[in-house]
Amino acid sequence: MVMKKIIRTVCIAAIALFAIPQQADAQFFKKLKEAAKGVVQEVTGTTTTGTASTTTTAQNAPSVSYLPSASGVLVGNPGSKYFTLEFVEAKGSKGSNRVDIYVKVKAVSLSIQNALVGGAGLTKAYDADGNEYGAGCDYDDKKNLNPDVAVKLKFATICEVPSTVTSFVLVKGPWNLGGGRNSSSINEYIQLKNVPIVWE
């Protein structure tokens, strides 16, 4: 009789022991699912209501309008309220397989010191075949910008580009003027489309 009570108590304890973590796991996975849904909505801009899903615009992603330059390059400048930007040229060096991209930048109303437009680490270029090229082979070129005169600066040096590539379909690069005036996400990068390369 005593033995049956002990076995019964052990069985009840074992069942309780297995039941508690399962409830905790179920709550954990439920919360994980809710968190994952929030992340998906934030990243994709999609919300789900019942069975229908609607798409919303991503927060803080400015709509980029493209302006054509004299060379036919389309320029998308999300920082246009702070500075104007015009494509100048993309010069390729066959010896080093590098392409230097130059732009002209002018402050809109106030002078800006140590402005970074483009730069090394985060700038990317893409050719018509979908190949991606980085810009980590050169320094960042900071300049002082004035509203009175445009300054020519190096937007980026694109590395390891074969001389058979005659143009970039897209070049995207960040900008930083200090004081919270910058491209805080890739959606806010300066974009240059249809950039012709002149090889030397």
Side-chain angles (χ1 to χ4, degrees):
M1 187 82 163
V2 176
M3 189 64 145
K4 282 185 179 180
K5 275 190 172 181
I6 293 174
I7 292 174
R8 186 173 165 198
T9 305
V10 169
C11 287
I12 291 173
I15 291 170
L17 202 62
F18 286 111
I20 291 170
Q22 288 175 352
Q23 289 176 349
D25 285 348
Q27 289 176 357
F28 170 76
F29 285 117
K30 183 178 178 184
K31 289 187 181 201
L32 183 63
K33 183 178 178 183
E34 289 172 5
K37 189 187 296 181
V39 170
V40 168
Q41 288 174 0
E42 187 175 325
V43 170
T44 63
T46 304
T47 57
T48 305
T49 50
T51 56
S53 66
T54 58
T55 302
T56 59
T57 56
Q59 292 179 347
N60 300 328
S63 59
V64 178
S65 57
Y66 294 92
L67 299 174
S69 65
S71 61
V73 174
L74 296 175
V75 177
N77 178 13
S80 60
K81 70 178 179 180
Y82 304 114
F83 60 91
T84 62
L85 186 138
E86 179 185 336
F87 172 79
V88 176
E89 63 183 339
K91 289 167 63 171
S93 168
K94 291 183 180 179
S96 64
N97 290 101
R98 294 182 176 191
V99 178
D100 293 325
I101 299 173
Y102 293 94
V103 295
K104 275 200 278 188
V105 183
K106 183 167 72 170
V108 169
S109 57
L110 300 174
S111 295
I112 304 164
Q113 293 192 342
N114 295 321
L116 178 63
V117 178
L122 300 174
T123 301
K124 301 285 182 191
Y126 304 87
D127 66 19
D129 293 326
N131 298 309
E132 179 183 273
Y133 305 94
C137 56
D138 203 359
Y139 60 92
D140 291 337
D141 194 11
K142 293 184 179 180
K143 295 283 185 180
N144 295 334
L145 307 181
N146 297 297
D148 303 324
V149 61
V151 176
K152 181 179 175 181
L153 59 84
K154 188 187 295 185
F155 184 75
T157 296
I158 309 299
C159 318
E160 299 177 8
V161 182
S163 58
T164 54
V165 176
T166 57
S167 67
F168 293 126
V169 174
L170 175 67
V171 179
K172 291 181 87 166
W175 53 278
N176 190 329
L177 311 179
R181 298 169 300 169
N182 59 35
S183 52
S184 57
S185 78
I186 197 166
N187 296 323
E188 298 169 342
Y189 279 13
I190 294 165
Q191 298 184 35
L192 307 175
K193 290 186 172 181
N194 305 321
V195 177
I197 303 170
V198 177
W199 290 96
E200 298 175 345

